[in-house]
Amino acid sequence: MKTLPTIWGSHEKNNWLSTQTIKRSYHEDVLKRIQALRGTFTVEQYGALSYDSDRYPLYVICTSNWVASKPSILVTGGVHGYETSGVHGALTFLEQEALNYADTFNIIVAPCISPWGYETINRWNPYAVDPNRSFFPVNHTHGINHEAEESRLFMQYLNGFDASIIMHIDLHETTDTDNSVFRPALADRDGIPQKSWNIPDGFYLVGDTDNPQAAFQEAIIQAVKQITHIAPADSDGKLIGEPISQFGVINYPIQTLGLCSSMTNAPYTTTTEVYPDSPKATDELCTQAQVAAIKAGIDYLMNNKIAG
């Protein structure tokens, strides 16, 4: 008789959790930089993760000259905490560039939505749930990927926020560990075999199948290629198993999957994917690629008189 794969229950999840260790400091790397922004920006705590509320307070940073009639830009990082340049790209944008746009836009930045994932270099939260498959309405469940606290707390914050968000850019990375660590763990957790991807060598974007905004995506690709190389399609014309829709861009059904970029219904959305394991990459280059992507998205809105 064929043995059926085991879907993880609480025992297996606890075993997995017991192998996770702290590898870097959210307090030193992230919170100190957030606190340094006080006085220049409005820094607000929107919650804390219940499994260690003292260690993992959650913050959002907004431009101080808030005007309700202005369009708003949302930047999120660290939804997958192990994707380092997403966190540091969001913080660096605040430190170096955000004020240049503050007269035209309200800017909202959540630099590290999953701080436990940041510290343990993990895609999942401690309950083996992927926050970036959990941005569904509160109390919604979607198969095995039930709602993550990290996602729920930020969605609750935004739901109570008076903002007309015109653009949302969610900062991510695709790493070699996606094949060596994450996909094998996903196969074990769900009892479903997972194919390994050809990890794209370079930067790419994930747009929305239902609202692709090709010109917007292209503007970001053209700006980032001045910083780092754009991932070519593989021999099958795909990136991470998906057909390319245009150079450097694939599209996902972001609402169906519960991706972070779907949660505001903003007309202009994208998810960045930096490749930090490239021999051509450095930590600083990856961070600056994220900053360039944010700037290019905002510049596109301004240059095309979509806002501002």
Side-chain angles (χ1 to χ4, degrees):
M1 181 180 293
K2 184 177 179 181
T3 302
L4 295 176
T6 300
I7 297 175
W8 283 7
S10 58
H11 177 72
E12 290 81 9
K13 290 178 181 179
N14 286 334
N15 283 344
W16 169 81
L17 180 59
S18 71
T19 67
Q20 309 308 310
T21 59
I22 300 296
K23 299 177 178 68
R24 55 189 179 183
S25 172
Y26 173 61
H27 180 269
E28 291 297 319
D29 297 353
V30 180
L31 292 184
K32 284 188 174 181
R33 290 177 71 180
I34 290 175
Q35 296 308 326
L37 295 168
R38 290 188 182 275
T40 305
F41 296 91
T42 299
V43 176
E44 182 178 1
Q45 183 176 345
Y46 65 88
L49 297 179
S50 61
Y51 44 82
D52 196 336
S53 58
D54 290 337
R55 189 180 185 100
Y56 300 125
L58 301 166
Y59 287 94
V60 66
I61 301 96
C62 302
T63 43
S64 295
N65 56 337
W66 192 274
V67 178
S69 60
K70 290 194 300 189
S72 298
I73 303 295
L74 174 63
V75 178
T76 47
V79 174
H80 288 149
Y82 75 114
E83 296 170 5
T84 307
S85 69
V87 176
H88 295 291
L91 289 168
T92 301
F93 171 72
L94 284 165
E95 293 164 346
Q96 297 181 359
E97 301 291 346
L99 292 181
N100 295 330
Y101 298 101
D103 288 342
T104 305
F105 299 95
N106 302 313
I107 297 175
I108 314 160
V109 180
C112 192
I113 285 176
S114 298
W116 181 86
Y118 179 86
E119 289 202 325
T120 61
I121 310 184
N122 249 295
R123 183 182 182 95
W124 294 341
N125 72 10
Y127 307 106
V129 174
D130 186 340
N132 204 37
R133 296 297 186 275
S134 301
F135 283 90
F136 296 105
V138 175
N139 297 324
H140 181 106
T141 58
H142 188 73
I144 196 167
N145 291 317
H146 58 78
E147 186 179 60
E149 181 180 23
E150 293 83 353
S151 311
R152 173 173 53 82
L153 288 171
F154 190 63
M155 289 183 71
Q156 287 176 337
Y157 169 79
L158 278 186
N159 286 343
F161 203 74
D162 182 18
S164 175
I165 296 173
I166 190 171
M167 183 188 108
H168 177 193
I169 184 164
D170 189 30
L171 309 180
H172 285 256
E173 294 180 344
T174 301
T175 71
D176 289 344
T177 57
D178 286 7
N179 274 347
S180 62
V181 176
F182 167 65
R183 295 190 73 75
L186 180 63
D188 289 344
R189 187 197 70 179
D190 294 356
I192 300 172
Q194 299 287 326
K195 293 181 180 179
S196 292
W197 296 325
N198 291 316
I199 301 297
D201 184 1
F203 178 95
Y204 65 100
L205 295 172
V206 180
D208 182 2
T209 300
D210 297 321
N211 181 30
Q213 295 291 355
F216 170 71
Q217 312 291 349
E218 182 181 6
I220 296 174
I221 290 292
Q222 291 302 317
V224 174
K225 71 185 289 189
Q226 308 305 314
I227 306 294
T228 190
H229 59 294
I230 307 303
D234 64 19
S235 58
D236 295 323
K238 297 179 178 180
L239 295 170
I240 60 169
E242 294 294 323
I244 61 168
S245 61
Q246 61 193 90
F247 177 57
V249 183
I250 59 174
N251 291 322
Y252 273 2
I254 62 174
Q255 290 190 338
T256 300
L257 293 173
L259 302 190
C260 180
S261 57
S262 74
M263 67 177 165
T264 67
N265 293 316
Y268 295 89
T269 64
T270 197
T271 300
T272 65
E273 296 287 352
V274 168
Y275 180 46
D277 298 315
S278 171
K280 304 175 186 178
T282 64
D283 291 347
E284 179 61 19
L285 196 69
C286 292
T287 295
Q288 290 304 321
Q290 301 281 23
V291 174
I294 302 167
K295 290 177 58 184
I298 301 174
D299 288 343
Y300 175 85
L301 301 182
M302 296 179 70
N303 293 339
N304 288 278
K305 296 182 171 49
I306 296 165

